[in-house]
Amino acid sequence: DIQMTQSPSSLSASLGERVSLTCRASQEISGYLSWLQQKPDGTIKRLIYAASTLDSGVPKRFSGSRSGSDYSLTISSLESEDFADYYCLQYASYPWTFGGGTKLEIK
Amino acid sequence: EVQLVESGGGLVKPGGSLKLSCAASGFAFSSYDMSWVRQTPEKRLEWVAYISSGGGSTYYPDTVKGRFTISRDNAKNTLYLQMSSLKSEDTAMYYCARHDSGYPFAYWGQGTLVTVSA
C-alpha cells in the first residue's frame, strides 16, 4: 500500500498568514493526489485534484503543487473559514490512501 | 445541487451485520462512480469500497474485503454498503462520496455513525 505522510499534524497560524501543508508519498503517484478540507461539523469538501487543479468554487488563495514525491497545499492568506482539518489522498493505485491530516488552528 | 444523505448507522454487536444507504439527488446518479469512506474516532480516513456507475466493477481494501459489499440501485438513486462480521475496529463515521470524470471524492455526504460494541 502507498503510505501518505502528512506534515505538520497541527499548525497554529494567524489571519492573513501564508501557510503550506505537505504530503510525501512512499511510492510514485504521478500527480494522482487530492486535498480535502473538513470543517468542525464534519463536512468534507474536496479542494484540489490532480495535485494542482482547483475545484470549482474554491477560493484562489488555495493552491496545490508538486516537487518530486512531495505534494503541497498552500493557502496564500488565511481567512477565518480556513481553520479546519486538511487531508491529502492518493488515488494512483488501490487501495486509495489518505494522509494523517493537519489541524489548522487560529493563533 | 448535489446531495448525498447517508442512513442506517447505529450500534451493533461484534460479529453482527448492518446495511448503510446513501440517497443521492441533484445529479444523474447512474452516470457516476461512487465510494464509501470511513473516519475513525481518531479522525483517520480510510477508503472502504468503490463501485462503477453501472455496478459492474467493485473494489475493496483488504481490511474489509469479504466482509463488506458495495451495491447500488440506479432506479432508486441509492448506494448501499452491506457490512457483516463487524469488528470493534469498524467503529467509525461512514461517508458516501461521488466521483467525477475519473477523479474520486468530488462530493461527500454528511456521514452516518456505526458503533461496534458489546
Side-chain angles (χ1 to χ4, degrees):
Chain A
D1 298 1
I2 297 176
Q3 308 303 316
M4 301 301 295
T5 303
Q6 190 170 342
S7 61
S9 57
S10 64
L11 177 60
S12 292
S14 303
L15 292 173
E17 191 172 335
R18 177 186 177 94
V19 298
S20 288
L21 318 178
T22 299
C23 269
R24 176 168 291 176
S26 64
Q27 301 173 36
E28 176 63 53
I29 60 171
S30 303
Y32 290 98
L33 181 124
S34 285
W35 288 95
L36 308 172
Q37 178 193 63
Q38 185 175 34
K39 292 293 185 73
D41 68 356
T43 302
I44 299 177
K45 177 182 177 182
R46 192 181 69 182
L47 302 174
I48 285 171
Y49 62 95
S52 60
T53 303
L54 216 59
D55 267 291
S56 175
V58 175
K60 288 183 167 44
R61 61 181 181 273
F62 289 91
S63 64
S65 63
R66 172 189 178 183
S67 176
S69 61
D70 287 346
Y71 293 80
S72 295
L73 172 70
T74 298
I75 309 172
S76 60
S77 180
L78 281 170
E79 299 197 7
S80 56
E81 61 263 33
D82 300 337
F83 292 94
D85 294 339
Y86 293 85
Y87 296 87
C88 63
L89 149 75
Q90 72 78 21
Y91 51 95
S93 65
Y94 293 110
W96 296 331
T97 49
F98 294 82
T102 295
K103 186 174 187 63
L104 180 54
E105 298 175 307
I106 298 176
K107 185 184 287 185
Chain B
E1 179 193 3
V2 173
Q3 284 206 327
L4 300 168
V5 180
E6 302 92 338
S7 62
L11 175 63
V12 60
K13 290 181 168 48
S17 298
L18 204 60
K19 187 171 186 176
L20 308 183
S21 299
C22 170
S25 60
F27 65 99
F29 178 71
S30 62
S31 297
Y32 292 90
D33 301 347
M34 301 288 295
S35 279
W36 287 94
V37 175
R38 65 186 179 187
Q39 186 169 39
T40 68
E42 298 77 25
K43 303 200 74 177
R44 181 176 57 87
L45 287 167
E46 180 184 16
W47 163 73
V48 294
Y50 158 91
I51 188 166
S52 60
S53 58
S57 295
T58 58
Y59 296 98
Y60 308 89
D62 288 345
T63 50
V64 306
K65 195 177 295 182
R67 299 189 301 121
F68 288 13
T69 302
I70 189 172
S71 63
R72 62 193 299 161
D73 185 334
N74 285 343
K76 294 184 177 179
N77 292 340
T78 303
L79 178 72
Y80 302 101
L81 184 68
Q82 176 69 54
M83 304 184 294
S84 60
S85 302
L86 283 162
K87 309 173 184 180
S88 58
E89 51 263 44
D90 296 317
T91 293
M93 183 72 78
Y94 284 75
Y95 294 91
C96 66
R98 194 194 94 175
H99 298 206
D100 253 6
S101 304
Y103 299 105
F105 311 123
Y107 296 92
W108 295 65
Q110 286 294 108
T112 186
L113 182 62
V114 173
T115 303
V116 183
S117 174

